[in-house]
Amino acid sequence: MTQYRLAILDDYQQVAGDYAPWESLLDDGVKVTVFSAPFVSEEQAVAALAPFDIVVAMRERSRFPRRVLDSLANLQLLVTTGMANAAIDMEAASERGIVVCGTGGSPAAAPEMTWALLLAFARNLVAEENSLRAGDWQSAVGFELDGKTLGIVGLGKIGSRIAKYAQAFGMDVLAWSQNLTAEAASAVGARKVTKEELFRESDVVTLHLRLSERTEGIVGANELRLLGPEGLLVNTARGPLVDEAALIRALEEGWIRGAALDVFEEEPLPAGHSLLHSPRTLLSPHIGYVTHESYRQFYGGAFEDVKAWLSGAPVRVLNG
């Protein structure tokens, strides 16, 4: 007899079943339903999820603010892939008695995606491939990373890996974040500077901060103007770290060389969005964590979270 209903959300590639034995939860009285398409509104999410006791969310693809959580009367367990999720109101979840659990993740996926975007932009790979397939041959001139300066905003686990990549490519490395120390920067081969110095002196700036009230909009018009017409912005962290309206203007008016983006203020990016038509952009659909290795940890960890909760001993609790 079914005791619980479990929803797996936003399985865009329809692969959740490849990474964990969800069907085996039937033995525990759990019926599993997979949602592949994103919800288009909070109202749609509430209507779809109202019957469910357990929800497994993939990163921040679906949002769970207080008004959504308050409407999900049956929800008892909310699992997020990763150990942080800015789209979940943890205080509201705790007040409602909802247990929120996280999972491990791949430390390599996001840094590798960052570097892939940087190299692809530097050498015009997308434009050159399109040109070649159209029957042409060489259409643009790229630039080298060797000897350039990379500015890293946020020198945590991902930013520290990026610093090492940059050094391997012969780049000087600057770093800034609100709590960064000179010693921590030096330990990974970077030099701590002010935010203004970082944007003024860097040829490329890459963002690796968690999204919070303190970091939202941390890159605005002033920073983009400091980056200058030869500067490139790379963002594989979270879209709202950047003032999107200021970025669009910077691209259209040539304040910066360009932007390589894997994340956006609204996701999925709506058809007709200005960034889709902005010049000097390289865009990807938030695939920084979309790897086999990462999904094994995400879905495998989520399955473990569910099993542990069912046994009465939840693990990796984020709001406990």
Side-chain angles (χ1 to χ4, degrees):
M1 179 181 294
T2 299
Q3 295 176 295
Y4 300 103
R5 295 189 63 180
L6 183 155
I8 298 174
L9 305 187
D10 299 312
D11 181 14
Y12 292 168
Q13 294 88 11
Q14 301 181 42
V15 295
D18 296 340
Y19 296 100
W22 298 105
E23 291 183 358
S24 69
L25 291 175
L26 280 172
D27 297 335
D28 298 298
V30 180
K31 181 180 179 181
V32 178
T33 302
V34 179
F35 293 85
S36 297
F39 299 122
V40 298
S41 67
E42 290 181 0
E43 291 76 17
Q44 185 190 44
V46 168
L49 298 179
F52 290 92
D53 310 280
I54 305 168
V55 168
V56 174
M58 174 57 73
R59 308 303 294 128
E60 287 98 4
R61 290 176 182 175
S62 288
R63 300 187 61 79
F64 291 90
R66 178 179 294 273
R67 55 188 172 271
V68 169
L69 293 173
D70 285 346
S71 300
L72 298 178
N74 291 322
L75 185 60
Q76 300 178 59
L77 173 65
L78 176 56
V79 177
T80 174
T81 53
M83 289 298 288
N85 190 324
I88 298 174
D89 187 326
M90 294 293 181
E91 182 178 351
S94 297
E95 291 175 7
R96 284 271 295 104
I98 300 167
V99 178
V100 183
C101 297
T103 74
S106 168
E112 290 182 6
M113 182 64 191
T114 300
W115 213 253
L117 281 175
L118 175 51
L119 286 173
F121 187 98
R123 301 307 291 269
N124 303 296
L125 283 185
V126 173
E128 293 290 7
E129 188 203 18
N130 289 340
S131 175
L132 179 61
R133 290 182 183 277
D136 297 322
W137 189 258
Q138 294 193 11
S139 59
V141 179
F143 65 88
E144 299 175 6
L145 302 183
D146 184 64
K148 300 290 194 304
T149 298
L150 179 72
I152 303 174
V153 178
L155 200 62
K157 293 180 180 179
I158 295 175
S160 295
R161 283 193 175 229
I162 294 297
K164 295 176 181 178
Y165 294 174
Q167 291 158 39
F169 276 76
M171 302 183 79
D172 295 323
V173 183
L174 308 179
W176 173 85
S177 67
Q178 286 141 325
N179 298 316
L180 180 65
T181 65
E183 293 75 18
S186 179
V188 295
R191 176 166 60 91
K192 178 182 178 292
V193 295
T194 67
K195 183 168 73 164
E196 291 75 16
E197 288 171 331
L198 183 141
F199 278 88
R200 183 183 298 113
E201 297 177 20
S202 297
D203 299 291
V204 179
V205 170
T206 180
L207 310 182
H208 301 289
L209 293 171
R210 285 186 178 180
L211 179 62
S212 66
E213 291 183 1
R214 188 172 66 165
T215 61
E216 185 172 354
I218 203 163
V219 178
N222 182 58
E223 289 75 24
L224 294 169
R225 288 190 181 277
L226 288 172
L227 186 54
E230 296 301 314
L232 170 65
L233 180 71
V234 182
N235 188 7
T236 58
R238 292 295 180 269
L241 294 173
V242 181
D243 181 335
E244 195 169 88
L247 176 59
I248 292 169
R249 185 180 174 194
L251 292 165
E252 292 176 349
E253 297 183 8
W255 302 357
I256 61 176
R257 181 195 291 266
L261 309 172
D262 187 48
V263 291
F264 308 92
E265 191 171 295
E266 181 180 357
E267 296 181 2
L269 197 62
H273 192 283
S274 295
L275 280 172
L276 294 172
H277 309 289
S278 294
R280 297 179 295 279
T281 53
L282 177 61
L283 311 177
S284 55
H286 203 159
I287 55 173
Y289 58 84
V290 183
T291 66
H292 289 297
E293 294 80 3
S294 182
Y295 272 23
R296 287 190 191 104
Q297 294 196 53
F298 281 170
Y299 284 122
F303 181 82
E304 292 171 358
D305 288 347
V306 173
K307 291 285 287 186
W309 181 81
L310 290 170
S311 73
V315 295
R316 295 186 288 265
V317 177
L318 301 180
N319 65 333

